[in-house]
Amino acid sequence: MTAFQPSRRQFLGTVAASTLVGTAGCLSALDRSSDDQKRTLRLTLSRVGGSLREVFVADLSETRSDRDDAAFRTVLDGGSYTAQYRKPFASTPETPVYTERDGTYYRLDSVVVDEVETTHPVLRLSDASDETETQSETDADSTVTSSELPDVDAKAVRVAQMGARARGNVGGAPWGLLQRGGYVYRDDDQRRASALLGSDTPTHVRYRDRRYRIDVSREQFYEPVYRATVEPVAESPEEMEAILRARFVDARFARDDLSAAARDVLETARQGEYGESHPYSDAYRDVLRAMHKRAYLDGNISKDAGVDNSGRQILRYDDVYYDYRLRFVDDGA
């Protein structure tokens, strides 16, 4: 079989294409470098405290709701505690909840064990600032200010108006608070205290400088039923501290491992904020390496860096814990 031999024209075309690709790559890198030179990467450090236990181990009787304390006591005594809609302890994989009782440390969580079909009132608001207000007594009585409402309704209006303002506009809204575009009255106590859920209710509400039309509908929900779980995880403060270090500390290093210039970077960050634009100094690069932030050094800085900056970030420097934050800021900001 005759081996393939490219013609001179094919060979030159291949070389030219490779050159263009390589040049495009270089130009792309130069463009990224130019963009990065216009931005400052800022590092801030804030001391956490003496131990991680002080931050992450909760005293349920003082720092959490009565329902959390009741759930913990019930399960610890061998009982079963369930709740609808609201998760006991509000524990998540990102923010686990721990507590201590009689020298034993527990992780508090919950599992879904059932589903419930139910109906809840939903308050939605729509902007009525452009509507003409009739000055008759009847129309005047149908408009209230949010400050005149019971606390439960004032909170509902504050949340629902965020949905009204976001509707049709570019931008976000706190969808963790907003549900179905409004505010959901879930508790019986809320419904009993409300002045917006009865038959004789106002048609409009004023919140700050805007007037909103009130719409209340009763809608069907399918909600999970949660069972509280309590799991022992440590029998001593040292064991608990090790668990928290493994869970929350991103990087740890010592003063002696860094150059004097790198230590100055951290000292400046501890006192307020430290920043540089790309390309970074050797000292700043040493600090970023020690923090395992390679994306700021080796990757596509514009796209890769910062993707892991969600949630709480902690490092340990000379046996002291610090919350840290890395963020890009446009020069001049």
Side-chain angles (χ1 to χ4, degrees):
M1 180 178 294
T2 303
F4 172 72
Q5 296 292 334
S7 67
R8 184 173 183 272
R9 178 179 296 179
Q10 289 171 320
F11 174 76
L12 292 176
T14 302
V15 171
S18 299
T19 302
L20 286 173
V21 171
T23 303
C26 291
L27 289 175
S28 177
L30 289 174
D31 289 342
R32 286 204 306 272
S33 178
S34 176
D35 290 340
D36 293 332
Q37 287 173 351
K38 298 176 184 177
R39 303 186 301 172
T40 297
L41 178 61
R42 294 185 180 176
L43 170 65
T44 56
L45 298 179
S46 303
R47 184 163 180 164
V48 171
S51 70
L52 296 178
R53 298 190 310 280
E54 298 174 24
V55 178
F56 294 104
V57 177
D59 184 339
L60 298 183
S61 63
E62 295 182 1
T63 61
R64 318 239 348 147
S65 71
D66 292 341
R67 288 178 293 186
D68 282 347
D69 192 40
F72 174 64
R73 292 176 179 275
T74 299
V75 178
L76 202 61
D77 291 340
S80 178
Y81 185 98
T82 59
Q84 182 179 325
Y85 173 65
R86 179 190 175 277
K87 293 180 65 175
F89 314 123
S91 179
T92 69
E94 294 76 22
T95 57
V97 176
Y98 300 94
T99 195
E100 180 268 339
R101 187 65 52 89
D102 298 329
T104 299
Y105 293 84
Y106 300 88
R107 173 167 177 165
L108 312 179
D109 207 341
S110 62
V111 294
V112 176
V113 294
D114 202 353
E115 176 189 68
V116 171
E117 179 182 349
T118 187
T119 301
H120 295 307
V122 182
L123 169 70
R124 296 185 183 88
L125 301 179
S126 55
D127 194 345
S129 299
D130 295 334
E131 294 182 6
T132 301
E133 290 191 58
T134 304
Q135 295 302 313
S136 69
E137 182 178 351
T138 301
D139 287 336
D141 288 344
S142 68
T143 299
V144 296
T145 62
S146 62
S147 60
E148 297 174 319
L149 294 169
D151 289 345
V152 61
D153 290 327
K155 176 184 176 182
V157 167
R158 185 170 65 252
V159 172
Q161 61 87 26
M162 297 177 188
R165 293 172 58 185
R167 217 165 286 135
N169 294 324
V170 176
W175 298 112
L177 295 174
L178 281 167
Q179 295 180 11
R180 301 195 181 185
Y183 181 86
V184 180
Y185 290 82
R186 281 194 161 81
D187 294 345
D188 291 337
D189 291 341
Q190 288 182 322
R191 291 191 280 268
R192 282 191 290 267
S194 173
L196 298 181
L197 302 181
S199 56
D200 185 18
T201 60
T203 59
H204 293 77
V205 63
R206 282 195 173 278
Y207 181 82
R208 294 183 177 174
D209 59 342
R210 289 190 174 274
R211 184 168 175 257
Y212 296 93
R213 179 174 292 278
I214 296 171
D215 176 65
V216 176
S217 60
R218 284 162 174 78
E219 301 180 8
Q220 188 178 52
F221 287 78
Y222 294 91
E223 296 183 344
V225 176
Y226 298 95
R227 186 179 70 229
T229 62
V230 175
E231 179 183 4
V233 293
E235 296 294 333
S236 70
E238 294 76 18
E239 289 180 7
M240 190 68 241
E241 194 73 14
I243 290 172
L244 296 173
R245 280 198 304 271
R247 176 63 185 80
F248 291 104
V249 177
D250 297 334
R252 57 196 84 186
F253 47 95
R255 181 181 303 269
D256 294 341
D257 296 334
L258 297 174
S259 66
R263 293 196 295 270
D264 288 342
V265 169
L266 290 171
E267 188 61 32
T268 302
R270 286 198 303 178
Q271 295 175 357
E273 194 172 70
Y274 182 88
E276 287 186 20
S277 58
H278 193 269
Y280 310 125
S281 66
D282 290 342
Y284 205 11
R285 293 174 67 87
D286 288 345
V287 170
L288 293 173
R289 282 196 204 92
M291 295 170 63
H292 310 303
K293 297 299 179 180
R294 294 277 180 173
Y296 292 95
L297 303 174
D298 304 332
N300 183 332
I301 295 174
S302 299
K303 294 182 179 179
D304 298 342
V307 297
D308 61 344
N309 284 353
S310 60
R312 189 165 187 171
Q313 300 181 104
I314 298 176
L315 61 81
R316 192 184 192 196
Y317 178 51
D318 271 351
D319 297 329
V320 178
Y321 299 110
Y322 296 91
D323 282 309
Y324 73 87
R325 185 185 181 195
L326 280 166
R327 62 190 178 103
F328 280 118
V329 177
D330 290 336
D331 285 351

